[in-house]
Amino acid sequence: MAFDYKKEYKEFYMPKAKPEIVTVPKMNYIAVRGCGDPNVEDGDYKAAIGLLYAVAFTIKMSKKGSHQIEGYFDYVVPPLEGFWWQEGVDGIDYGHKEDYQWISVIRLPDFVTADDFRWAVNEATEKKKQDFSKVEFLTIEEGLCVQCMHIGSYDDEPATVAMMDQYLEDNGYENDISASRLHHEIYLSDARRVAPERLKTVIRHPIRAKGK
């Protein structure tokens, strides 16, 4: 059976619908950076997702080609994720999506090296006849964070974020969002196929102990 990161690492992908603290280790990602409203039809965000999945499935299906990745094992492509921010805004202003800055990512298995990644980008470029120059190999170590499962529309996330903030206040922590530590979302539902009120999204914020 294919290795499923969501099932094997439930502490990072399947939190409860109440805040909890977690320490997130270093992970490698396929990444594309951009800006603007993610809901714009045929916009940069949707184009970025297409690039991410093209590279992700090129790596997954490498087992059938001539490029054999050392240590490869069969796996389920991990879910789409996003790091979000807005210039001059503390947290996220959901009312001004046009100001969003984002890094869309898909986690890479640990066996994928930077060389393997470059091969996959070149392979996807050749097969898809597209420009993959925006795609990058990105390493992030989030460290100490608070996270919570948000169930419902993305526009209703502020209520879950407020609950997370109250949890921090009650437990001696505070948000540590900065230029290098960002609001993070993990999308467990396909918004094209799931009703807004049933969407499952992990919301994760970097934190620190108060006074540090």
Side-chain angles (χ1 to χ4, degrees):
M1 183 174 292
F3 186 93
D4 190 334
Y5 284 85
K6 298 189 302 298
K7 294 179 180 179
E8 299 297 332
Y9 295 101
K10 290 182 179 179
E11 66 270 32
F12 302 132
Y13 296 99
M14 300 297 292
K16 297 178 181 178
K18 60 181 182 180
E20 61 186 27
I21 291 172
V22 63
T23 299
V24 185
K26 184 184 297 183
M27 299 181 190
N28 295 326
Y29 298 93
I30 311 165
V32 176
R33 300 172 189 264
C35 59
D37 188 339
N39 298 314
V40 173
E41 197 65 35
D42 298 324
D44 289 347
Y45 181 76
K46 292 183 179 179
I49 292 174
L51 295 175
L52 292 175
Y53 277 106
V55 175
F57 278 99
T58 297
I59 293 170
K60 176 177 169 59
M61 301 311 295
S62 64
K63 62 184 178 180
K64 295 187 176 181
S66 59
H67 183 89
Q68 296 297 300
I69 298 176
E70 184 176 353
Y72 180 98
F73 54 78
D74 195 21
Y75 64 98
V76 176
V77 172
L80 178 69
E81 309 181 36
F83 293 90
W84 300 84
W85 73 99
Q86 289 154 306
E87 298 296 337
V89 175
D90 183 14
I92 296 293
D93 180 356
Y94 292 83
H96 290 279
K97 296 182 176 66
E98 70 277 7
D99 295 330
Y100 283 170
Q101 305 279 329
W102 40 264
I103 310 173
S104 290
V105 303
I106 294 176
R107 183 179 180 176
L108 284 167
D110 291 341
F111 58 72
V112 178
T113 67
D115 286 341
D116 294 321
F117 174 81
R118 283 189 288 270
W119 165 82
V121 170
N122 290 335
E123 184 78 358
T125 300
E126 179 65 25
K127 288 189 173 181
K128 299 287 186 180
K129 306 301 180 185
Q130 287 181 253
D131 180 7
F132 282 81
S133 60
K134 290 185 177 180
V135 182
E136 62 182 282
F137 182 97
L138 182 64
T139 301
I140 298 176
E141 185 172 1
E142 291 185 88
L144 191 65
C145 295
V146 63
Q147 65 181 17
C148 187
M149 181 72 78
H150 171 74
I151 300 176
S153 168
Y154 303 130
D155 289 337
D156 293 336
E157 286 183 9
T160 298
V161 170
M163 183 169 60
M164 292 164 63
D165 289 345
Q166 187 61 55
Y167 177 83
L168 296 181
E169 178 67 26
D170 294 343
N171 289 275
Y173 293 91
E174 59 188 3
N175 279 301
D176 192 28
I177 294 175
S178 67
S180 60
R181 305 188 75 204
L182 301 169
H183 172 96
H184 185 183
E185 299 182 0
I186 303 173
Y187 308 106
L188 301 179
S189 304
D190 185 339
R192 299 169 300 177
R193 296 179 173 86
V194 177
E197 65 273 13
R198 297 179 59 193
L199 292 171
K200 291 185 177 181
T201 308
V202 180
I203 301 176
R204 183 182 295 159
H205 283 173
I207 63 172
R208 63 189 175 197
K210 281 187 177 180
K212 291 190 177 181

